[in-house]
Every structure is written in structure tokens, then in C-alpha cells.
Amino acid sequence: MSADGLPERFDVMVYPAAELRGELRAQPSKNYTTRYLLAAALAVGETRVVGVATSEDAGAMLRCLADWGAGVELVGDDAVIRGFGAHPAAGVTLNPGNAGAVARFLMGVAALTTETTFVTDYPDSLGKRPQGDLLDALERLGARVASEQGRLPISISGPVRGGPVEVSAERSSQYASALMFLAPLLPGGLQLRLTGNIKSHAPLRQTLDTLAAFGVQASASEDLSRISIPGGQSYRAGRVLVPGDYPGSAALLAAAATRPGVLRLSNLREHDLQGEREAVEVLRQMGADITREGDTLIVRGGLPLSAVTRDGDGFTDAVQALSAAAAAASGTTTWENVYTLRLKECDRISDTRAELERLGLQTSETEDSLTITGTERIAGGITVNGHGDHRMIMLLTLLGLRADAPLQITGAHHIRKSYPQFFQHLEALGARFDYLPTDAH
């Protein structure tokens, strides 16, 4: 058994839910947890990160920071980090597991070291994801880089110089964030120019927000195409509080919107910088009854939903959850400008289309869009593929909750990457699952 009381590896059997009703506190943000932990390690002194996520991504960051020489202590729900400042250990091999953002953030900071090597035990997932745009930028700054055609395993050695540098933001905003974490520790800082069609502005703003929380000065143009971070700065140790997680919460909100009942979900700041906060407005546009009382959202479910057409680039990590609402809505929903979904743990456009069609839905895709025609009934009674992707597992679970017959999802243990308590939270609302141990990875 794993620490969460579930089998180490398992499929899940999802049973239809007549209603979902109850109160929950949103889990801590995965994106802010990983950013705060890294910034804490880049500070000299002790930082308490209050209320950290328990996801595999957070665990990967903690493990890598400890391997690099940071002091890491878990105290209740908090993490106490004794930072290494601008001097992570040299000659270390880091394994971020399947955590793409963690790997990229650390690759930027690796330019402060000599011979930091990145490996993964997920060669068919993270091992296939592209890192070349970041590596090219680091090489232009003077780093020595060795890789397998821009993919892991990757070795990075500094020193690097500060100054102006371009980095493509076409595939991911994480490359720019990686350089932003590095910039204040370089004597000359960095003047970043982001090229291409910038993806995912919200995570870039979260990185800027993190720098500010740790006393680092930075400035950015309104469109984020130019970011300037002076050098010679230090990260300030102290105490930071992790906000609630909107990407995972989008799945709970969509589940509550598509089943009868009432959900009260707390710990979600109204003016949070997470782009997936937009999921609340998308669901409202579809016809969901969602109101707010301070940091608590109240969903009164079971109302008819209608299709929408939305640019999904600002809330990519909520597209899968919102697709469950689209599958229940009358009409045809299209998520536009979501090409980066193809570069995640699985191809979240083509693989989502395939699983939805197996469940009887009409779908179509283009290179950068996904279209779903809703249906009143999902038969269920089959086994669907989770594709080793936590967001796909969330989508399929939500569909199973309103199917006519139980739905089995393979590889459901991969939910731990971002939301280890996902199934337990839904059980608290009245859902029912069976956990079927499996030897499959």
C-alpha cells in the first residue's frame, strides 16, 4: 500500500453517482508549491513554505533540492527549507521523475553548477518531451550542454553570463520561468525576450509573483514579451503561504456542475494568478450555478449546460476537466489555441478524442483545437485508458460519475502526480470507487 492507503499501482472502477454533496477545502497549488520550494532553496537561510502540495511533482522538487544540498524537513503540512543560495552542489544527478516543470526550472538553475545531469525513469513520457528551446538559450548564455537531441538525459555546466537573451515561448512558458529563477543570481541579471506566440501567460505571472514574494525585483512588459531581472540580487528567506489549486479544483467544480447536489469548495482566492481560475467563468458561461463567498465557491449542480467556444490557452490544465462538462452540454464545444496540450504527459488532444469516441461521443480535432459534441447519456460498462496522465484520469472519472454503468480507468495511480486525494475528495461528496491493484506501470 502507498502512503495514501491505496495500492501502489491500480486501476479504478468508477460507479455512477446520483448526486455529489458536501464541503471540501481545495488542495494546495501544485504550481505555486514547486515555485516556492525552488525559491526557498535559492535563498540563504530557512524558509517555511506553509501548506505544500503532496503531489508527486512537489515530491520530485523536494527530492531534487535535497540532492542538490538543500535542507528539507516536512513539518505537518509545511516544508522547512534551508537554502543553498546561488551554490547548489556540483556533479549531482537529479531525477525529477515525470515532473516536466520541475525538470525545466532546475535546468535553468543548473547553470550555476558544473556537471549537473538530469535523468528520468519515465523515458516514454518526460523522456520524450522537448527541452531544446531552453537548452539553446542556456548555451547562448555560455553554458555547456549535452543532451539526446534536446531530450533527457541532459547535462548542464556553467558558468553563464548575464545580459540579453532570447528564449522561445512557443511550446511552453516553463523555459522562460527557468531563466527567470536563474536571473537574479547572475552578476548581470537577464533581459529576456520571449519569442514566438507566447503560451500560458498565467504561469509566467505566477513566477513573477514568486520572485516578488522572495524579495526579487523584476519588471515585465504588459504582453510579457520582455522581462528584465537585475543581477546581484538575493532571494529572501522567510515564510510563504501556498494558495489553493485551481487546476485540480476545476475537476471538482465540473463534477459538481454535471451532477445534482451542492458543493462548497473553500481555499480558492478570488483574484488568484492561476490561469485555471478562468474555469469558473467557463462553467458559468455553460450555465452552471456557481456563486462565491470570499474564498469559497458554491456549486448547485444538475442544471442543463450549453456548449461554448473558448480560447483555452489561458487555462490549459483545466481543459480536460472542462471537457467533462462539454460532454454533458447541449451543442458542440470547441477549445481553441490549445496546441500545447499535445506536449503533456500524453497527447491531450488526440488521446482525449480517442477515449471520448470509445465512450460514444462525437469529437473532432485540428492541430491546435479539440471539439466535443455533448450527449445526455454515456453507456459506460467498458475499460478506458488513462494514458498515464493525471488530467486524463480526472476527465474519465467525471464521465464515469454520470455513466449508466461502471467505468474502469487504467493506470489511475498516476493521479498522484498532481492530486493524490482526488478520489478520496470525491468519495467525501458521495462518489464510489473500487481500487483494483495492478502490476502495470
Side-chain angles (χ1 to χ4, degrees):
M1 286 287 178
S2 185
D4 55 14
L6 300 179
E8 192 69 32
R9 299 172 183 171
F10 63 91
D11 293 353
V12 68
M13 184 72 75
V14 184
Y15 290 90
E19 68 171 23
L20 297 174
R21 186 178 300 274
E23 299 184 11
L24 291 171
R25 179 178 175 84
Q27 70 164 358
S29 164
K30 173 177 77 79
N31 288 349
Y32 267 105
T33 292
T34 52
R35 284 167 168 78
Y36 282 178
L37 292 174
L38 177 55
L42 294 173
V44 175
E46 187 172 279
T47 297
R48 191 177 189 105
V49 184
V50 178
V52 296
T54 57
S55 62
E56 288 182 346
D57 279 24
M61 180 63 86
L62 288 168
R63 182 178 64 249
C64 290
L65 294 177
D67 289 345
W68 242 352
V72 172
E73 182 182 3
L74 295 178
V75 182
D77 294 332
D78 305 345
V80 177
I81 307 296
R82 292 179 300 280
F84 43 60
H87 304 288
V92 174
T93 296
L94 301 179
N95 184 346
N98 201 25
V102 171
R104 289 163 176 168
F105 295 168
L106 296 175
M107 286 178 198
V109 176
L112 298 171
T113 74
T114 54
E115 296 300 329
T116 293
T117 300
F118 294 86
V119 299
T120 180
D121 41 16
Y122 290 83
D124 293 327
S125 185
L126 181 57
K128 292 183 176 179
R129 295 173 71 174
Q131 318 296 343
D133 292 334
L134 173 58
L135 301 182
D136 289 347
L138 290 172
E139 285 187 310
R140 287 194 292 272
L141 290 169
R144 291 185 291 111
V145 174
S147 73
E148 298 288 335
Q149 296 182 320
R151 290 171 169 78
L152 273 68
I154 291 169
S155 179
I156 299 172
S157 290
V160 294
R161 56 185 175 272
V165 66
E166 292 185 355
V167 63
S168 173
E170 188 77 35
R171 291 175 180 265
S172 174
S173 67
Q174 294 166 1
Y175 308 135
S177 285
L179 296 172
M180 290 160 68
F181 282 113
L182 169 67
L185 301 176
L186 299 178
L190 289 176
Q191 294 80 52
L192 296 174
R193 179 172 176 266
L194 278 58
T195 62
N197 179 18
I198 298 173
K199 299 297 182 185
S200 306
H201 287 72
L204 291 170
R205 298 192 190 280
Q206 291 168 41
T207 302
L208 288 167
D209 189 44
T210 298
L211 296 180
F214 283 80
V216 172
Q217 295 182 351
S219 59
S221 61
E222 186 174 349
D223 66 356
L224 298 181
S225 64
R226 296 183 182 275
I227 300 172
S228 179
I229 303 176
Q233 301 188 69
S234 299
Y235 286 81
R236 182 181 63 219
R239 177 186 174 94
V240 290
L241 172 65
V242 178
D245 181 70
Y246 268 97
S249 295
L252 296 181
L253 297 172
T258 55
R259 304 308 300 143
V262 179
L263 166 66
R264 293 180 62 91
L265 185 59
S266 64
N267 194 35
L268 291 173
R269 301 186 307 193
E270 183 173 6
H271 302 294
D272 197 281
L273 293 176
Q274 297 171 68
E276 287 73 19
R277 179 170 60 90
E278 192 176 344
V280 178
E281 292 307 318
V282 175
L283 287 169
R284 283 174 174 158
Q285 184 184 350
M286 298 177 85
D289 181 353
I290 304 178
T291 55
R292 177 180 285 278
E293 295 176 0
D295 287 352
T296 298
L297 290 169
I298 302 99
V299 187
R300 295 170 178 85
L303 297 180
L305 301 179
S306 300
V308 296
T309 296
R310 296 286 294 240
D311 183 328
D313 179 58
F315 53 89
T316 52
D317 280 345
V319 166
Q320 269 30 57
L322 293 172
S323 292
S330 61
T332 299
T333 292
T334 298
W335 310 120
E336 299 176 333
N337 192 27
V338 290
Y339 172 77
T340 56
L341 289 177
R342 295 192 183 278
L343 307 175
K344 302 294 185 177
E345 285 78 358
C346 71
D347 182 334
R348 290 183 187 164
I349 294 179
S350 292
D351 291 339
T352 295
R353 179 186 177 191
E355 297 307 319
L356 292 180
E357 289 182 348
R358 293 195 65 231
L359 288 166
L361 283 95
Q362 295 180 15
T363 68
S364 62
E365 66 177 274
T366 68
E367 185 179 32
D368 66 350
S369 73
L370 175 64
T371 295
I372 301 165
T373 299
T375 180
E376 292 185 2
R377 292 185 62 249
I378 293 176
I382 65 171
T383 297
V384 288
N385 188 345
H387 292 272
D389 188 320
H390 50 128
R391 305 291 178 200
M392 180 74 80
I393 294 162
M394 292 179 196
L395 162 61
L396 296 172
T397 299
L398 269 54
L399 296 176
L401 291 176
R402 71 177 192 92
D404 294 339
L407 189 68
Q408 183 169 336
I409 305 170
T410 64
H413 55 277
H414 289 289
I415 197 69
R416 296 186 180 112
K417 176 171 169 48
S418 68
Y419 201 161
Q421 292 182 296
F422 177 68
F423 296 116
Q424 293 93 325
H425 279 181
L426 285 171
E427 285 176 327
L429 300 178
R432 178 182 160 216
F433 306 106
D434 284 340
Y435 305 100
L436 312 173
T438 175
D439 293 331
H441 186 59

